[in-house]
Amino acid sequence: MSTSRRSFLRSAAGLALGGLSWRSRAENLLPRSERRVVVVGGGFGGAIAAKYLRLHDPSVDVVLIDRKTTYIACPFTNRVIAGLRDLAENTVGYDELAARHQITVLPTEVTAVDTAAKQVVTPGGAINYTRLVLSPGIDFRYDEIDGADPARTPEIMPHAWQAGEQTLLLRSQLAAMRSGGTVVMSIPLAPFRCPPGPYERVSLMAWYLKRTNPKSKIIVLDANPDIAAKARLFRAAWQQMYKGMVDYRPAQKVTRVILERRAVDTGAETIRGDVVNLIPPQKAAPLAFQAGVVGDDGKWCPVSQITFESRVPGIHVIGDSCIAGAMPKSAFSANSQGKVVALNMLAVMNGREPDAPAHVNVCYSYVNDREAMSVAGLYRVLGDNTVFVPQAGGLPTSYTELEGIQAASWFNNMLREMSS
Amino acid sequence: MKTRSRCLLLAAALLSPGLPALAERPSPAMLSESCGACHGTRGASAGPATPIIGGQSAGYIAASLNAFRDGRRPSSVMGRLAKGFARDDYVLMGNFLAAQPFVAARQATDPALAARGRNVHEVLCERCHADRGRRFEDREAKAPGPILSGQWLQYLLITFNEFIAKERPFPAGMDEAFRQLKRGDAEALAHYYASRP
């Protein structure tokens, strides 16, 4: 093909398809492989999928792409906000995972997914795939809140719902708050990442403030009709330990923010905070939108409950971005989905019947520095839905110190499993 | 109501494997790998309060799951989770995990306590927890037991406390040995087993 014809096609297709021809022309970053799974997103879902693919079938070439060289995990960051933990303890690298399982780990952006050519495009070149796993995490629906924007709002009203700078910003705002100040927290309508997370945060912020700023208070504006997870135990904890400090208001949806006044508006009332922790409603991460795997709701990715294959053939979506029936959007769910996608994607690739998924979810929430409570659940596929197994699961009778010890052990294993 | 009827439907489906809703039972790998998030990949736990289950005998794993399910053994989440599996699944998970290596924990222990624990072990425990706790010898052929050597210290301490607090009945033969323990012996035993490679 002549250069002029090629460049003509490039510009013509570029106009029509938003640069698709440029993508398919990208130089290969890795040599082509006929048996390659590319995993994008190195969190609890993606890292586990990459690892278990290799554990089950060493003939598959696995490439794990994340934009960062280290991963900062979200669970236990509420303890960082309360000054009980260093963010470094939540940070893992990929070196051991890569070496032990011979996974090619690439720290780079994915600028596009070319579904026609079956390749992901990065600034350094394209990588072809036989199948693609996306575990991209979440993004925020700031557009649903008047006066909010994705750039400036989190700098003034941190969400701290992705771990890292945001966690530290909320931590420093809380530590610097004037005596007797008010924290306002806004919780979006479910589904959102980590259902018990906001309520654990309320508990740990209250634990911290009770010691350092006893006249302060926390107003919780929850868009949900009630506490979305572990309700009985969180209510008991607030009643027992943080009475007068935690002002929980259900069915209060923040629809507008006034950044310069650090105020939020529910339609019925405008409330000013010294610290505002605005956790916006959520949706799948931008990469899911780029790849065309988001459903008609414009938020999350519908997938086969057996193989996690999305509406785009060959692209599987796991973790917070996907719709997995009754499973919560949690680190543990992502871990469980990573294992199921590995087993069942290999079944499809190797011409076997996929296995019946057996998912688990376990998570712990702290109510103070030492005491925690777990939630546990099993999930199976019934028809075309993933459902909670009614005989199993539920809450313990109370939060205890022993559960707090189990929580730390649980998190050690969660971090270790994804990074080794 | 809708949730309730769905729950009943699922219960029925799980209890009768012939129903088309669940095409097949999950494989042993499917069932067992979900344990890994808490118990480490293939049961090699990296969490000090969570036991290493890879390499334990199939019988011990199945017996433990049965005890969790029936409330004969206290736990954080296991009592709740065990109820969601079929008892047949326990055997599948037991076989899968028994085929994995037991990866001993690397951890700090108190040498003086470990030395004291060794003496106690040799007198009272070696008969069944043979090879210094590396193996279980089912002498009375009543109940299978665990590998203790190389297990996590914190888990061992929690478990000994369950026996001491009578939250958990002794397996056959163990009550006699436990009655002979002096104050501090259980802690010494835990340090001894945890110190073993």
Side-chain angles (χ1 to χ4, degrees):
Chain A
M1 198 189 288
S2 73
T3 313
S4 62
R5 178 158 164 75
R6 195 183 289 154
S7 60
F8 166 75
L9 281 177
R10 192 161 126 196
S11 53
L15 284 171
L17 300 169
L20 196 68
S21 75
W22 173 81
R23 292 175 208 161
S24 56
R25 282 187 69 262
E27 293 299 316
N28 287 338
L29 179 60
L30 297 173
R32 279 193 70 84
S33 165
E34 295 315 309
R35 206 168 151 72
R36 174 182 287 151
V37 178
V38 174
V39 181
V40 186
F44 286 101
I48 289 293
K51 169 172 168 169
Y52 276 78
L53 280 163
R54 291 286 304 166
L55 282 175
H56 285 291
D57 190 345
S59 77
V60 177
D61 169 22
V62 176
V63 179
L64 175 62
I65 303 178
D66 196 280
R67 64 166 67 94
K68 300 201 186 78
T69 52
T70 55
Y71 178 69
I72 309 176
C74 273
F76 277 60
T77 52
N78 287 330
R79 292 181 70 82
V80 177
I81 291 162
L84 289 162
R85 186 178 173 91
D86 195 311
L87 198 56
E89 296 174 73
N90 266 45
T91 308
V92 293
Y94 298 108
D95 291 352
E96 195 177 341
L97 185 78
R100 278 177 75 166
H101 306 286
Q102 293 173 288
I103 296 166
T104 306
V105 177
L106 293 176
T108 183
E109 287 281 341
V110 169
T111 51
V113 177
D114 183 344
T115 53
K118 293 185 95 170
Q119 58 183 22
V120 295
V121 183
T122 75
I127 304 162
N128 82 292
Y129 61 79
T130 314
R131 286 187 174 266
L132 175 63
V133 179
L134 300 181
S135 188
I138 56 159
D139 194 9
F140 300 107
R141 283 149 46 202
Y142 277 109
D143 53 319
E144 293 179 16
I145 305 168
D146 286 344
D149 71 287
R152 200 158 149 260
T153 304
E155 287 174 9
I156 296 163
M157 302 179 170
H159 52 74
W161 220 241
Q162 288 165 322
E165 289 302 316
Q166 278 282 301
T167 314
L168 299 176
L169 180 60
L170 182 56
R171 162 76 195 141
S172 62
Q173 286 190 358
L174 199 64
M177 187 169 75
R178 72 177 171 88
S179 174
T182 299
V183 179
V184 175
M185 180 199 261
S186 164
I187 303 172
L189 266 178
F192 53 84
R193 163 180 281 181
C194 188
Y199 313 100
E200 181 194 58
R201 180 174 291 173
V202 169
S203 308
L204 286 173
M205 287 198 304
W207 175 83
Y208 170 74
L209 291 172
K210 199 173 159 182
R211 271 143 201 85
T212 57
N213 197 341
K215 292 205 176 82
S216 64
K217 62 178 176 177
I218 305 172
I219 298 174
V220 185
L221 303 172
D222 192 346
N224 298 285
D226 192 8
I227 298 172
K230 307 179 186 177
R232 170 171 57 81
L233 295 179
F234 278 120
R235 237 191 310 274
W238 298 348
Q239 178 72 21
Q240 199 182 334
M241 292 181 279
Y242 310 124
K243 211 172 173 179
M245 179 172 265
V246 174
D247 176 358
Y248 177 74
R249 305 180 189 177
Q252 297 295 307
K253 184 175 170 183
V254 169
T255 51
R256 188 170 72 100
V257 295
I258 306 111
L259 288 184
E260 48 282 8
R261 289 181 53 218
R262 256 191 202 163
V264 299
D265 191 299
T266 61
E269 195 180 2
T270 305
I271 301 165
R272 221 195 69 76
D274 295 283
V275 172
V276 179
N277 177 203
L278 179 75
I279 306 170
Q282 294 154 32
K283 60 183 175 183
L287 187 64
F289 287 85
Q290 274 178 25
V293 293
V294 177
D296 296 336
D297 68 357
K299 295 169 191 158
W300 309 107
C301 308
V303 291
S304 153
Q305 301 297 286
I306 307 283
T307 62
F308 288 87
E309 192 159 8
S310 69
R311 61 202 298 170
V312 178
I315 304 184
H316 302 243
V317 184
I318 57 170
D320 293 343
S321 277
C322 80
I323 302 169
M327 292 186 82
K329 297 188 183 301
S330 68
F332 206 112
S333 289
N335 173 301
S336 193
Q337 291 160 8
K339 291 166 182 171
V340 172
V341 80
L343 272 173
N344 282 348
M345 172 184 285
L346 287 170
V348 172
M349 286 170 72
N350 295 332
R352 292 195 318 267
E353 279 293 304
D355 206 340
H359 290 288
V360 180
N361 180 61
V362 171
C363 94
Y364 290 83
S365 308
Y366 284 93
V367 294
N368 58 30
D369 56 333
R370 292 170 299 109
E371 294 175 299
M373 66 257 193
S374 52
V375 71
L378 297 181
Y379 300 85
R380 296 286 171 93
V381 175
L382 183 64
D384 56 5
N385 200 10
T386 300
V387 298
F388 182 75
V389 176
Q391 300 95 319
L395 291 176
T397 50
S398 184
Y399 43 85
T400 64
E401 210 168 323
L402 185 55
E403 288 270 290
I405 289 166
Q406 297 288 359
S409 190
W410 166 88
F411 193 46
N412 267 18
N413 267 314
M414 289 284 289
L415 277 182
R416 183 79 189 140
E417 190 178 37
M418 68 167 288
S419 62
S420 68
Chain B
M1 270 325 277
K2 199 179 168 192
T3 319
R4 189 175 156 75
S5 59
R6 180 171 285 178
C7 286
L8 290 171
L9 192 62
L10 179 67
L14 289 172
L15 293 172
S16 37
L19 276 186
L22 284 176
E24 53 174 309
R25 302 188 73 83
S27 68
M30 177 66 79
L31 288 167
S32 310
E33 284 178 349
S34 64
C35 309
C38 293
H39 285 279
T41 302
R42 305 206 158 154
S45 176
T50 318
I52 299 158
I53 55 175
Q56 298 285 10
S57 73
Y60 172 69
I61 289 164
S64 302
L65 287 164
N66 273 302
F68 286 130
R69 179 194 196 111
D70 299 338
R72 284 180 282 116
R73 185 171 168 180
S75 67
S76 174
V77 295
M78 285 314 301
R80 285 170 271 163
L81 291 175
K83 291 186 182 75
F85 293 95
R87 288 192 202 257
D88 292 351
D89 293 341
Y90 299 171
V91 180
L92 299 182
M93 290 191 269
N95 287 333
F96 184 92
L97 289 164
Q100 310 303 325
F102 181 95
V103 183
R106 273 181 282 176
Q107 59 193 326
T109 50
D110 182 323
L113 280 174
R116 175 177 160 187
R118 180 181 175 163
N119 293 333
V120 179
H121 168 83
E122 281 168 1
V123 177
L124 295 174
C125 315
E126 174 67 26
R127 190 176 133 77
C128 297
H129 294 282
D131 279 357
R132 300 175 175 180
R134 204 185 287 270
R135 212 156 52 73
F136 188 77
E137 191 104 336
D138 197 358
R139 290 190 183 275
E140 278 81 25
K142 282 174 186 157
I147 298 171
L148 296 175
S149 173
Q151 188 54 277
W152 283 106
L153 175 62
Q154 195 175 38
Y155 164 73
L156 290 168
L157 291 169
I158 290 169
T159 305
F160 280 134
N161 276 331
E162 290 167 358
F163 285 121
I164 291 166
K166 297 193 173 17
E167 291 170 357
R168 183 177 168 185
F170 289 109
M174 204 165 130
D175 48 347
E176 293 139 48
F178 235 80
R179 264 199 296 275
Q180 296 176 59
L181 293 184
K182 294 180 186 66
R183 196 182 181 84
D185 278 354
E187 189 187 359
L189 278 171
H191 278 264
Y192 171 62
Y193 296 127
S195 71
R196 304 272 307 139

